[in-house]
Amino acid sequence: MAQLLRALRVHTARPRGPGRCVFSATTIPRLSARAAQAPAMQYEDAVHTLNLLQTNGSVLEQVCQGRDQPQVQLQAMRDFLWRSGLKVEDLDGLNVIHVAGTKGKGSTCAFAERILWNYGFRTGFYSSPHLVQVRERLRINGQSVTKELFTKYFWSVYSPLDKSKDAHGGSMPSFFSFLTLLAFHVFLQEKVDVAVIEAGIGGAYDCTNIIRKPWVCGISSLGIDHTNILGDTIEKIAWQKAGIFKPGVPAFTVPQPTGPMVVLQDRAQEIGCPLFVCPELEEYETPERSLHLGLAGHHQRSNAALALQLCQSWLQQRSAQGMTCWREGLVWRRSLFKGGACWTCCFSLASSGLEEVEWPGRSHTIRHGPLTYCLDGAHTTGSMLACVRWFLQEGAALERMTGFVESRGRLGVSRFVPPLLFPISACPPSILRDPVVRVLLFNTTGERDSEALLKLLRLCHFDFAVFCPNITETVASSSVDQQNLSVTLENMLNRCLDHQSTWWTLSGHAGRPSDNPVVVERRTDALVFPCILSALQWISQGRDPVLGLADQKATLVQPGMAARMQAMQKVAGIQVLITGSLHLVGRALMHLKPSLAS
């Protein structure tokens, strides 16, 4: 902890704009006994060894330089697979659903997993990143593999790779490549009926793309992300994502902008892959039967529609009862879930799967007394736009629930929601400032355009913007699952201070003082904390029974905050948006839902 605070003081001494505020603490309470309980030593050893494979900056640079040599990258993965005891041909037996995309590919996979599990199939699901524990990346029948199972298979895959590395120039797979190998081994050994595989970065050069014969492929919504690896235009990114297409294997995508859609079509024709565009989710509904999704947010509807088509195609190949209807072009107009005798028996299974899906950290709401936490791992402009829409709708619902809408004239002015971003029909009649305080907790990783994300988030009119690194607490963490060896503490702290400076720049240092001490002046509403726990405890002001009281020895560097803190303790509710990084969301969940860490 001392090293962290020394580093924090060094960075706070550097000039980064007027009035910068950083909170430091001499003591931060540890996690509750349940959350801090150490996992079994064998599992700890396995995850610690896994963490040593985390990709550093030099390796990432090699990936960027080698992106024009996809066969070199994929051949290395095939070699690792062979050294671990498998052949590429063995993967054909996994009956894979392979999904790539910029936004929503994980949610699409989660929907598909749940639908097929409802049909009675034994499902495997490989995803990334994990939120709390690394074993979340490998799910069987909707549940993370147990620590015992993870440990057993980890060493059975790691040992042959480690023993053979000297004969192969000391080469070992990266963190993500190893987990991909591990997923293949686990799913084969556990005899799953279907393996739902979420691609990592891109598609063409992604290590999951050694799969030769998936049963069906999917491309979720495309956007700009990982430009240093995938390219700096959405068309280049579309080319990369379409790299998962295979000859003769049906592929589905959601509606895309014209440019990337043309690229997907051209790639599909070049590879010999039949490509279809999913219909809107509304086409599956009738006045008698509507679909309810277990994941909040309007953006999840396209993910659900893609999942339905992926499952339909997979079930068709499984010789399940069904009916298909093809039309000209690239549009699949009907499916197994619509029409005829198939409607009743299949629609109920699919619709219940969509409703029962669990995918934490995405449009995820947690309520602790007066605190409402909205968590979403949005980290691209497209996903952040969807996150902002969802958060404002959640805020409107919260204010209606607390009964303050009718008190608008007495309590304060409504927040402004741009009509071009949120249609009038979707806007709440009023979104109040006074009874419910809004707080942003934000961080990013990698090469994300933080300024673009923060610009969108300002549309929510937060009362406080809080920034902290993706560190659970300033004391040494007991969880090896949360170790990150690929980025330095200095870089993490610098990033938070840059976010704070960007927030002030976007606000223009404008805004007149308010009679209400809760309404923060634009110049002083951005705060930096050394870790997630100290940030959450300050935000909750002792009103969250799960987090407990904030450290009483914490030093407030920012003057004039006492009045605002007192007001925070009296407002009817505090709504917190935690976003910008799935890593931030996952570490916050360790504190907000301690059971996830046990």
Side-chain angles (χ1 to χ4, degrees):
M1 182 177 74
Q3 179 183 2
L4 172 61
L5 294 179
R6 282 198 300 271
L8 185 59
R9 284 193 290 269
V10 167
H11 296 301
T12 57
R14 297 173 56 184
R16 289 179 177 272
R20 181 180 60 185
C21 169
V22 176
F23 282 29
S24 60
T26 55
T27 305
I28 300 295
R30 292 180 179 272
L31 285 170
S32 67
R34 284 188 301 165
Q37 193 173 19
M41 195 60 190
Q42 259 191 327
Y43 175 76
E44 261 192 356
D45 289 342
V47 178
H48 175 74
T49 304
L50 172 66
N51 286 339
L52 299 179
L53 300 175
Q54 288 184 18
T55 303
N56 57 30
S58 63
V59 176
L60 276 177
E61 181 63 26
Q62 292 174 14
V63 171
C64 296
Q65 293 174 353
R67 67 183 183 186
D68 294 326
Q69 299 177 300
Q71 296 308 317
V72 174
Q73 302 292 327
L74 294 178
Q75 186 55 48
M77 186 64 182
R78 295 185 190 101
D79 292 341
F80 289 133
L81 184 71
W82 176 78
R83 285 168 53 190
S84 71
L86 290 177
K87 302 186 295 296
V88 174
E89 294 80 0
D90 296 330
L91 306 184
D92 298 347
L94 288 176
N95 310 331
V96 169
I97 296 175
H98 199 188
V99 181
T102 307
K103 302 167 290 181
K105 62 182 185 291
S107 298
T108 297
C109 290
F111 280 127
E113 174 202 38
R114 183 68 193 201
I115 290 170
L116 293 177
W117 184 82
N118 275 11
Y119 271 82
F121 295 108
R122 183 169 173 82
T123 60
F125 176 19
Y126 174 59
S127 65
S128 62
H130 62 277
L131 294 177
V132 178
Q133 299 191 40
V134 69
R135 59 192 180 91
E136 298 165 20
R137 298 183 185 222
L138 287 75
R139 302 205 320 194
I140 295 179
N141 289 341
Q143 299 295 320
S144 303
V145 297
T146 64
K147 291 182 179 180
E148 292 74 19
L149 204 63
F150 182 94
T151 303
K152 167 189 169 183
Y153 286 117
F154 175 88
W155 293 115
S156 70
V157 175
Y158 183 86
S159 296
L161 288 168
D162 187 51
K163 290 177 181 177
S164 62
K165 69 180 181 182
D166 290 340
H168 293 82
S171 65
M172 288 289 285
S174 67
F175 181 90
F176 182 78
S177 297
F178 181 88
L179 285 171
T180 304
L181 295 171
L182 182 61
F184 292 152
H185 278 267
V186 170
F187 296 157
L188 285 168
Q189 292 294 324
E190 293 298 313
K191 295 180 172 55
V192 300
D193 297 311
V194 55
V196 182
I197 304 295
E198 177 191 357
I201 296 177
Y205 310 158
D206 188 72
C207 63
T208 64
N209 206 30
I210 62 172
I211 299 166
R212 303 185 314 160
K213 297 179 179 179
W215 281 24
V216 62
C217 298
I219 304 291
S220 65
S221 297
L222 297 176
I224 300 294
D225 196 19
H226 299 295
T227 54
N228 59 328
I229 296 176
L230 303 181
D232 57 1
T233 69
I234 194 171
E235 288 78 13
K236 292 178 180 178
I237 291 172
W239 190 95
Q240 295 274 357
K241 303 294 184 180
I244 69 170
F245 294 165
K246 300 297 186 297
V249 175
F252 297 86
T253 186
V254 299
Q256 308 282 2
T258 302
M261 180 62 80
V262 170
V263 173
L264 294 180
Q265 293 171 349
D266 290 345
R267 286 280 270 163
Q269 185 174 6
E270 172 191 343
I271 294 170
C273 161
L275 175 65
F276 307 94
V277 179
C278 299
E280 299 294 335
L281 195 63
E282 288 77 9
E283 293 196 30
Y284 299 91
E285 298 177 309
T286 69
E288 295 77 25
R289 295 181 176 88
S290 60
L291 291 169
H292 303 281
L293 304 185
L295 302 181
H298 187 269
H299 59 286
Q300 294 291 354
R301 294 183 68 80
S302 65
N303 300 328
L306 177 56
L308 287 173
Q309 293 295 327
L310 294 173
C311 291
Q312 186 279 337
S313 180
W314 191 92
L315 287 165
Q316 183 186 24
Q317 295 178 66
R318 186 81 179 191
S319 298
Q321 179 186 11
M323 176 185 67
T324 58
C325 179
W326 303 80
R327 287 193 178 181
E328 293 181 3
L330 298 174
V331 182
W332 180 295
R333 291 293 187 186
R334 300 181 70 191
S335 78
L336 158 74
F337 306 110
K338 294 188 70 175
C342 304
W343 176 268
T344 301
C345 64
C346 298
F347 181 83
S348 61
L349 291 172
S351 61
S352 61
L354 295 178
E355 186 171 2
E356 296 162 0
V357 66
E358 294 183 5
W359 194 226
R362 289 83 171 174
S363 305
H364 186 180
T365 302
I366 298 174
R367 292 184 174 86
H368 292 169
L371 274 294
T372 299
Y373 301 96
C374 298
L375 302 96
D376 191 89
H379 53 271
T380 67
T381 53
S383 58
M384 190 60 74
L385 193 61
C387 174
V388 167
R389 179 192 294 269
W390 164 71
F391 178 74
L392 289 175
Q393 291 172 343
E394 287 289 302
L398 174 64
E399 287 159 354
R400 284 195 298 269
M401 180 178 66
T402 53
F404 285 105
V405 170
E406 293 75 9
S407 305
R408 175 186 180 192
R410 180 173 60 85
L411 288 175
V413 299
S414 62
R415 301 177 196 264
F416 172 71
V417 183
L420 294 180
L421 179 61
F422 303 99
I424 294 177
S425 60
C427 286
S430 64
I431 308 176
L432 304 180
R433 268 192 175 282
D434 295 315
V436 177
V437 172
R438 288 183 179 172
V439 183
L440 169 67
L441 179 56
F442 178 87
N443 194 28
T444 59
T445 60
E447 302 298 323
R448 298 317 192 295
D449 187 350
S450 300
E451 182 176 353
L453 300 180
L454 290 171
K455 188 177 296 184
L456 289 172
L457 286 164
R458 286 195 62 81
L459 298 169
C460 297
H461 292 265
F462 290 102
D463 300 306
F464 294 90
V466 176
F467 307 103
C468 67
N470 294 343
I471 300 172
T472 53
E473 351 176 28
T474 52
V475 296
S477 173
S478 62
S479 174
V480 292
D481 295 276
Q482 298 296 331
Q483 291 178 358
N484 187 345
L485 308 180
S486 63
V487 61
T488 65
L489 174 63
E490 179 181 359
N491 288 340
M492 287 191 285
L493 294 169
N494 274 331
R495 182 185 293 268
C496 295
L497 296 171
D498 288 340
H499 291 158
Q500 182 189 44
S501 177
T502 298
W503 188 263
W504 279 326
T505 300
L506 291 172
S507 70
H509 296 272
R512 59 182 178 82
S514 170
D515 294 333
N516 187 336
V518 176
V519 180
V520 184
E521 299 171 29
R522 298 294 190 208
R523 184 168 177 169
T524 58
D525 64 352
L527 316 174
V528 175
F529 288 84
C531 69
I532 293 170
L533 180 59
S534 59
L536 288 174
Q537 288 185 326
W538 185 88
I539 291 169
S540 63
Q541 290 295 309
R543 302 179 70 184
D544 186 333
V546 175
L547 291 175
L549 294 173
D551 176 33
Q552 299 303 313
K553 297 181 180 180
T555 302
L556 304 186
V557 181
Q558 168 106 4
M561 291 299 297
R564 296 186 180 96
M565 290 173 60
Q566 291 175 3
M568 289 270 283
Q569 295 168 6
K570 298 177 181 178
V571 293
I574 302 173
Q575 186 186 18
V576 187
L577 175 60
I578 304 175
T579 190
S581 164
L582 274 170
H583 301 283
L584 172 69
V585 167
R587 286 155 176 76
L589 278 172
M590 290 183 64
H591 299 294
L592 300 177
K593 294 192 70 174
S595 60
L596 293 177
S598 63

